[in-house]
Every structure is written in structure tokens, then in C-alpha cells.
Amino acid sequence: KEENLRRETPYWIEELNLRMYDKECLLHDSKLSYRIYEAAQQLINSYMKSKEFHVGFDYLQSSKFENILMHSYDREKHWITLIITEDTIYILDSTQQVLTHSIKSYLQKITNKSLAQVVLIHMDREINDEVNSDLFTIADAFHFALKKTWPPHTYDLANMRLHLKTCLETKRTMAFSAINENIQIQSNQKWCTIQ
């Protein structure tokens, strides 16, 4: 039903397959449409293709970087950021503190390794509601793509939607404004494997 409503509205950004319905979702504090995530992923992919990508900070031990993905589970109610290196998959998640069966299944599909090391990083954020928490997924993915460092603890929530609108309209990956750059990854990480 949502897809029918979406198709009935004119294009907002045709190259990114975004319609005015998607823009309304973005600007009116409602859950972001799936197409917004697809468009954000396209921006990240385009940015990464234009750069030489090797992770260069100690925590990832200079692993060869492979990809940044955003993934939804629980019928698109929640999104996570995946940072994939040649030997480890890092999952940044604001709600889950365990690796669910749904996420394990997805990881087995996207990785060609039968066994991969997974680090689940719980991003314990002050804002953790279903509508706005998913904005953090896009902000985290953009942050990592641009700065190759762990995302900040929190962002300037009041300006996040307008910032994303600007990124989409200009078709550029730009960092979101951070409020607190200090995050303690070590204390929030959980190591596990997918089998």
C-alpha cells in the first residue's frame, strides 16, 4: 500500500528514484522510507568508488576495507550499519546487544566466507526512538565513509533531516554535525562469529 502511495507522487530526485512521498517522510519526523536508505547507500557507494579505501586506524588494524552497508531487519523497523573488512564485520547498532538470527542469516548471504569474525558494537545513544534512531544509521555510515573513524556518540538531531535532504539533493556524502565525538568502543563491543 505504501509503495502505491509513493508511486502516485511526482519525482523529487529522479536519479535516486526518490519521490515527493519520500521527501515528506524525511521532512515530517516520520519513519524514513526504504528508498531514502537506498539513495543514501548509492551516495556512499559512489563516494567509495572515487576513493582508495584502506582503513588506517589502530582499532581495525589497517585491514583492507571492503564495504559499508546499511541493513534493515524486523520488517524495516530497525536499521544497522555494517562496516566490512577482509576479516571482520563490525555491526553498529543502537538497540540490539546480541547477534540475532535475522542478522546472522543476512551476514551469511553477503559474505563469501563460511566463517567471519563479527564485532557487535552497541551504540548507546541518548535518543533511541524508532523514528529517529534510524537516521543515526545513515549518519554513522556517512561518518565512517568520510572520516574512517568511529562515529560520534550523538549528532545534532535538530538538523539531521535537513542535512540528509541537502546530501540527497546535491548527491554528495557529507558528514553530519556531531555533538559528542568521544565514543568508548572497547567497553561496548561483543566479539562473536557467524557459522
Side-chain angles (χ1 to χ4, degrees), residues 105-141:
S105 296
Y106 177 71
L107 294 178
Q108 288 170 333
K109 288 177 189 172
I110 65 165
T111 183
N112 58 3
K113 306 163 188 116
S114 59
L115 183 67
Q117 183 167 279
V118 177
V119 181
L120 180 61
I121 301 170
H122 180 235
M123 303 296 286
D124 188 16
R125 299 244 163 83
E126 294 164 15
I127 306 292
N128 196 13
D129 63 74
E130 198 173 283
V131 173
N132 288 312
S133 67
D134 293 347
L135 266 173
F136 285 91
T137 300
I138 295 173
D140 288 346

Side-chain angles (χ1 to χ4, degrees), residues 123 125 127 135-144 150-158 160 175-180:
M123 303 296 286
R125 299 244 163 83
I127 306 292
L135 266 173
F136 285 91
T137 300
I138 295 173
D140 288 346
F142 278 26
H143 182 91
F144 192 86
W150 293 116
H153 180 64
T154 192
Y155 297 93
D156 179 6
L157 186 59
M160 288 179 79
F176 286 72
S177 297
I179 292 176
N180 181 356

Side-chain angles (χ1 to χ4, degrees), residues 16 38-48 142 164 167-168 170-173:
L16 295 175
E38 285 184 336
Q41 187 71 57
Q42 285 178 37
L43 296 181
I44 290 168
N45 294 348
S46 176
Y47 176 80
M48 287 172 29
F142 278 26
L164 181 54
C167 291
L168 295 168
T170 61
K171 296 170 204 69
R172 294 180 55 214
T173 303

